[in-house]
Amino acid sequence: MPYFDTASAAPLHPVARQALLAALDEGWADPARLYREGRRARLLLDAAREAAAEAVGCRPDELVFTSSGTTAVHAGIAGALSGRRRVGRHLALSAVEHSSVLHSAAAHEAAGGSFTEVPVERSGAVDPAAYAGALRADTALACLQSANHEVGTEQPVAEVAALCAEAGVPLLVDAAQSLGWGPVAGRWSLLTASAHKWGGPAGVGLLAVRKGVRFAPQGPAGERESGRAPGFENLPAIVAAAASLRAVREEAAAEAVRLRALVGRIRSVVAGRVGDVEVVGDPERRLPHLVTFSCLYVDGETLLHELDRHGFSVSSGSSCTSSTLEPSHVLKAMGVLSEGNVRVSLPMGTAEADVDRFLDLLPGLVAEVRERLGAPVSAPPSPTPVASLVVDALGRRCPIPVIELAKVIGEVPVGATVTVLADDEAARLDIPAWCEMREQEYVGEEPADRGSAYVVRRLS
């Protein structure tokens, strides 16, 4: 059963398993104690810190272990903002950051601070000049992920870090998705990561804070991990996390070449065999193992269930699998389709035959889901076109509003409009994206008694 969702959590690396079992026997004592068991545990902790710091590219005394990557993000942002509160209370971040960064920004705003989201291009990357434009005299901290967790696009971290350094603003980099593939380039100030993304055990995060960065840990003071991560260290998991990070780094160069070729095949075959599909993310500047595509007229949850039924574990950033039933903020910021969104992220060692079987299976499953939803195979023009149409899709979830739009667009003459009434938040993203794919004009959104009215003008 192929597992293609390593961007969520990578399978436990064999080295991590071995290190975890060994550390359970040797590293159970308190590393802060001076007796022999404590000294033995301290040696394991120090060795793990040195190995992790070498992989990150920082000094061992600049790195602490936290209980998760999310905890590292929250602690890093809160500590840096507090340490630079005399400068100001403004935070800059990209519009496609992980939710942990967005939640920290929202909490900062609720406490009286402010933040600016830097927009991204359709590829999912920020423009360094646009990011520099968001920096202000009162900016205390900037945040930029190294690579996007949903579409795999790598960010221009080195360029942005240089601009932040010129402005005197520290840059926090969320490296959760990329650290297993290599160190983060550039003059970053803080860095966070999460062990379960590279095949380490869950429950271990990294927070690196460069010397010279003003940092004031928040919350009650603690004696461990330089006061930046309170609580007793989970030493066996930390040892396993550091050991697996070193192991995957040794494999990364060769696997990156192999997986990049497999992902390149997925990108081209999906675009060629599946009609009405948009492969999103930067085709070149991307993580080697991750690809995301959106299928028109497809319910993403149904497609994921069908793939699971045939033995493939993939994920989605679409509204269909969101607990809030809202479109992915990443896809929304990029301006691409949210419906029928599939993220494939290949673990190290993925067999070429599994990818081939996935590509053989996918087109038929997409066709079955579309047929089940009554999606149009094509949109033939009506012999007697009408001047304009109103489509009532209220109370119906995407992709149904887009399907209904596609069914009737051919029934109006060129230059006439179709108005879609919808109260699903995803329609606000999917209808404009559909217009771009189908080369129709998206006129705009108008208020309605319920939901919104989305106006589309037929161009061809």
Side-chain angles (χ1 to χ4, degrees), residues 128-285:
Y131 202 104
L135 303 178
R136 310 184 325 204
D138 63 337
T139 301
L141 179 66
C143 298
L144 182 64
Q145 59 191 190
S146 55
N148 187 258
H149 50 291
E150 288 191 26
V151 300
T153 297
E154 293 180 336
Q155 297 291 352
V157 172
E159 296 94 322
V160 171
L163 293 168
C164 288
E166 185 178 334
V169 177
L171 176 68
L172 182 148
V173 177
D174 171 15
Q177 288 295 337
S178 73
L179 192 61
W181 298 103
V184 177
R187 299 163 59 190
W188 50 266
S189 302
L190 304 95
L191 182 142
T192 64
S194 187
H196 73 278
K197 301 294 187 180
W198 66 68
V204 179
L206 306 181
L207 170 60
V209 182
R210 296 281 197 196
K211 294 295 182 183
V213 176
R214 290 188 176 274
F215 192 90
Q218 298 302 286
E223 293 78 23
R224 299 175 186 273
E225 295 300 296
S226 303
R228 294 174 181 174
F232 197 96
E233 297 95 343
N234 184 352
L235 186 53
I238 287 172
V239 169
S244 58
L245 180 55
R246 174 176 286 178
V248 298
R249 280 290 188 83
E250 292 174 352
E251 305 165 2
E255 271 297 277
V257 172
R258 197 179 70 85
L259 292 183
R260 187 174 289 275
L262 290 178
V263 166
R265 185 190 304 177
I266 294 173
R267 293 180 67 93
S268 61
V269 170
V270 167
R273 293 186 191 173
V274 182
D276 294 315
V277 70
E278 182 177 17
V279 182
V280 302
D282 195 298
E284 299 297 331
R285 192 166 178 169

Side-chain angles (χ1 to χ4, degrees), residues 287-309:
L287 292 172
H289 68 303
L290 196 156
V291 58
T292 298
F293 52 89
S294 299
C295 305
L296 268 173
Y297 320 131
V298 168
D299 175 63
E301 186 176 13
T302 301
L303 181 57
L304 263 59
H305 285 323
E306 288 298 315
L307 286 167
D308 179 53
R309 194 165 61 86

Side-chain angles (χ1 to χ4, degrees), residues 14-85:
V15 169
R17 184 183 300 277
Q18 294 169 5
L20 181 64
L21 293 175
L24 285 172
D25 291 332
E26 297 294 327
W28 50 266
D30 186 348
R33 301 306 171 194
L34 299 180
Y35 40 71
R36 61 181 178 277
E37 294 87 355
R39 293 196 305 271
R40 188 183 302 127
R42 185 71 196 188
L43 286 173
L44 289 173
L45 180 59
D46 289 345
R49 197 183 313 278
E50 289 177 7
E54 181 183 5
V56 168
C58 67
R59 292 169 35 165
D61 59 351
E62 293 174 331
L63 183 143
V64 299
F65 295 105
T66 68
S67 59
S68 70
T70 294
T71 300
V73 167
H74 292 171
I77 292 177
L81 287 173
S82 179
R84 286 174 46 84
R85 59 188 177 277

